[in-house]
């Protein structure tokens, strides 16, 4: 009898262990041992891409005979593609392929892209003939040469768009089964530390190698770094936890738009039924932007038959999430011009014309001056978090020291000041350059404008991210980073458009463009004054956007409200499969 009982117990334990085996197998994977593979992949990708971006304006002007405006436009579009495509990388990852496959594809794409770019420096047929010889004329760049160049830049952009939005989330996936929040917090700290260090290395070491040893050696470094990045990530493949792809969070937002448009002619009634989710993120339907409430109403009279099946109707939670996204858009648009300031390459051209000697044997590369912006951001964020926040919290009763919208406003004011300082410094430099004496102005005069740009980014950009995370529901937390990166992309595109317009207008009638490739005969200072004025207008626009956001968020009736009957009727709980 006892033997039978022990046998039955043993059989039960075996069945239980068999059922739990997949979970145990998952727990055996992941963990801290996967962090070096993931962090090195992301850090090396930044070293490769930022190491190219910093000096690329000189390569385009020297190797491809581009004007400063054309080269700046190419780099702005390249930057916009690298950041703007991130939202598509996240969409493909969350909806179709999963994070591991997308990161792997991105790593290989970046490696191929930097290899092709390196080939333009070592294969003479891929670039036009040099104009350095005194008796030779510049031959135009052929469409094939430009196509090969733009193709390599496009592959690098695709790689960055696949790696950056997925890498940090993929690393967090490896620690979820361990249920240790401290491990996850430690991972985020190491991740951001590695990102900052890699950007600093790209702006100093890689740029220095390119300046001292030429493009052939300089571009070989990103190729080697990107090869190590892809190899390290793939070597850890057997250790990773790879979650199955779930339904994309973006699909629910698209569904709200489609159904609201389909039901645009109906009138909301007091006895209407609304489709609610049966999950824990349940919210109540608000009166703001009531035209969107038509997306979640459930009626048999709805044309299109969507009302008869609640599972095909967006939930109240999805509608309110979409409203949250609409509410942040005005404030989001006010941050675009800040990234336009940051995307400019003219400070690098200024530094090239100034005295960059630190000692008699060491000269700071012109592209390395962006290091002051990076250091300012890093130092200020740490100082603000550890010193300023505890001090201000006592007076403002705000856990974050200052409200995110206040920080964003301070950042916009600092961006105005940075452009004013840039204009003044360039006016002084240009005055010396136009005289008969040799320009002997230290490039350290550029440091204040880089520091001010860093402070403006630290205030406004970090404030934006905090604002998005606080305004959007938790189910859309991943979208907050995507929204932020899209603003960077739009800012780069606006910078490209603005430089082309200014160059076209100021060169009408055969005049010298403000943005001439020879900045000693142009007027980059006028361009900075124009940016100062635009940033001032943008600050007043931001104040209006804050009022709009407040009206859309307040309980009173505000913008876009339709004064119809309130939602006092029934509700339907969405059935889940």
């Amino acid at each position: 009898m006892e033997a039978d009982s022990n046998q039955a117990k043993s059989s039960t334990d075996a069945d239980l262990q068999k059922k739990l085996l997949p979970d145990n197998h998952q727990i055996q994977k992941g963990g801290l041992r996967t962090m070096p593979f993931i962090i090195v992949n992301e850090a090396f990708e930044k070293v490769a891409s930022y190491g190219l971006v910093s000096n690329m304006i000189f390569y385009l002007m020297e190797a491809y005979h581009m004007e400063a405006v054309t080269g700046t436009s190419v780099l702005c579009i390249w930057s916009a593609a690298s950041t703007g495509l991130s939202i598509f990388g996240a969409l493909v990852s969350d909806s179709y392929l999963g994070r591991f496959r997308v990161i792997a594809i991105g790593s290989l794409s970046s490696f191929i892209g930097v290899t092709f770019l390196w080939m333009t420096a070592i294969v003479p047929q891929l670039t036009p003939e040099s104009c350095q010889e005194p008796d030779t004329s510049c031959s135009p760049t052929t469409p094939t040469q430009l196509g090969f160049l733009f193709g390599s830049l496009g592959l690098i952009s695709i790689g960055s768009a696949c790696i950056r939005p997925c890498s940090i989330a993929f690393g967090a996936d490896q620690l979820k089964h361990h249920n240790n929040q401290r491990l996850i917090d430690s991972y985020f700290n190491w991740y951001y530390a590695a990102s900052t260090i890699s950007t600093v290395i790209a702006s100093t070491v890689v740029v220095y190698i390119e300046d001292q040893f030429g493009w052939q050696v300089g571009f070989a470094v990103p190729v080697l770094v990107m090869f190590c990045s892809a190899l390290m990530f793939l070597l850890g493949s057997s250790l990773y936890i790879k979650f199955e792809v779930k339904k994309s969070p973006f699909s629910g937002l698209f569904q709200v738009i489609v159904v609201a448009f389909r039901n645009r002619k109906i009138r909301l009634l007091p006895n209407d039924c609304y489709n609610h989710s049966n999950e824990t993120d349940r919210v109540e339907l608000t009166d703001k932007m009531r035209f969107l409430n038509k997306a979640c109403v459930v009626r048999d009279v709805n044309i299109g038959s969507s009302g008869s099946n609640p599972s095909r109707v967006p939930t109240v939670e999805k509608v309110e999430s979409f409203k949250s996204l609409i509410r942040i858009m005005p404030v989001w648009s006010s941050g675009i011009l800040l990234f336009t300031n940051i995307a400019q390459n003219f400070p690098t051209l200024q530094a090239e014309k100034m005295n960059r000697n630190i000692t008699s044997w060491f000269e700071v590369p012109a592209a390395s001056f962006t290091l002051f912006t990076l250091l300012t951001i890093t130092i200020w964020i740490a100082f603000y978090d550890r010193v300023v926040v505890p001090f201000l919290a006592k007076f403002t009763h705000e856990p974050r020291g200052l409200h995110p919208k206040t920080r964003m406003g301070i950042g916009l004011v600092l961006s105005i000041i940075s452009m004013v300082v840039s204009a003044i410094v360039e006016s002084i430099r240009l005055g010396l350059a136009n005289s008969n004496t040799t320009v002997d102005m230290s490039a350290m005069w550029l440091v204040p404008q880089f520091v001010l740009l860093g402070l403006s980014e630290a205030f406004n950009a970090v404030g934006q991210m905090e604002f998005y995370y606080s305004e959007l529901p938790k189910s859309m937390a991943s979208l907050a980073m995507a929204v932020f990166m899209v603003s960077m992309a739009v800012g780069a595109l606006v910078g490209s458009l603005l430089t082309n317009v200014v160059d076209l207008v100021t060169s009408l009638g055969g005049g010298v463009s403000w943005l001439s490739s020879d900045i000693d005969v142009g007027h980059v200072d006028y361009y900075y004054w124009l940016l100062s004025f635009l940033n001032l207008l943008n600050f007043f626009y931001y104040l209006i956007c804050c009022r709009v956001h407040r009206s859309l968020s307040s309980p009173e009736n505000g913008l876009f409200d339709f004064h119809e009957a309130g939602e006092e009727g029934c509700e339907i709980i969405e059935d889940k499969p």
Side-chain angles (χ1 to χ4, degrees), residues 125-351:
Q125 291 77 13
L126 295 178
T127 54
E129 295 181 2
S130 174
C131 298
Q132 301 300 323
E133 299 296 333
D135 297 331
T136 59
S137 59
C138 292
S139 58
T141 307
T142 65
T144 302
Q145 292 168 343
L146 284 178
F148 197 88
L149 171 68
F150 294 155
S152 64
L153 298 181
L155 288 172
I156 297 172
S157 294
I158 292 173
S160 300
C162 290
I163 295 173
R164 295 175 187 176
C166 301
S167 182
I168 189 169
F170 186 69
D173 289 344
Q174 311 307 311
L175 303 176
K176 284 183 178 180
H177 281 284
H178 293 265
N179 295 322
N180 190 330
Q181 186 61 38
R182 186 173 182 180
L183 278 179
I184 297 178
D185 293 339
S186 178
Y187 160 69
F188 284 126
N189 292 334
W190 280 105
Y191 181 89
Y192 284 114
S195 297
T196 303
I197 294 172
S198 62
T199 306
V200 170
I201 292 174
S203 301
T204 54
V205 177
V206 179
V207 168
Y208 182 80
I209 293 174
E210 291 170 351
D211 280 2
Q212 295 299 314
F213 301 99
W215 303 116
Q216 294 182 359
V217 177
F219 285 172
V221 175
V223 173
L224 179 61
V225 169
M226 204 59 232
F227 174 77
C228 295
S229 173
L231 181 62
M232 279 291 292
F233 183 76
L234 294 177
L235 285 177
S237 176
S238 61
L239 303 177
Y240 300 141
I241 295 174
K242 303 167 187 175
F243 290 105
E244 296 182 0
V245 176
K246 297 181 179 179
K247 187 178 181 181
S248 171
F250 298 96
S251 61
L253 302 181
F254 296 144
Q255 187 185 25
V256 170
I257 299 174
V258 172
V259 180
F261 179 78
R262 182 192 304 160
N263 296 341
R264 64 189 181 280
K265 295 183 179 180
I266 70 172
R267 182 178 179 84
L268 298 177
L269 302 174
N271 60 345
D272 278 331
C273 298
Y274 296 91
N275 190 26
H276 276 272
S277 172
N278 60 2
E279 298 178 354
T280 56
D281 59 347
R282 176 187 173 95
V283 298
E284 296 301 323
L285 196 64
T286 62
D287 287 336
K288 291 298 176 180
M289 292 175 278
R290 284 172 52 86
F291 60 94
L292 291 175
N293 294 356
K294 298 175 182 180
C296 60
V297 67
V298 180
R299 290 184 190 168
D300 292 332
V301 295
N302 282 355
I303 300 175
S305 70
S306 64
S308 60
N309 185 4
S311 63
R312 295 178 55 192
V313 177
T315 62
V316 170
E317 288 71 23
K318 290 179 181 178
V319 171
E320 290 301 317
S321 295
F322 189 66
K323 290 181 182 180
S324 300
L325 185 61
I326 293 178
R327 280 195 294 267
I328 68 172
M329 294 313 293
V331 177
W332 169 83
S333 64
S334 67
I336 292 174
L337 198 58
L338 174 74
F339 295 110
T340 300
N341 300 337
I342 297 172
Q344 300 300 321
N345 288 282
F346 294 105
T348 304
L349 298 178
Q350 290 175 261

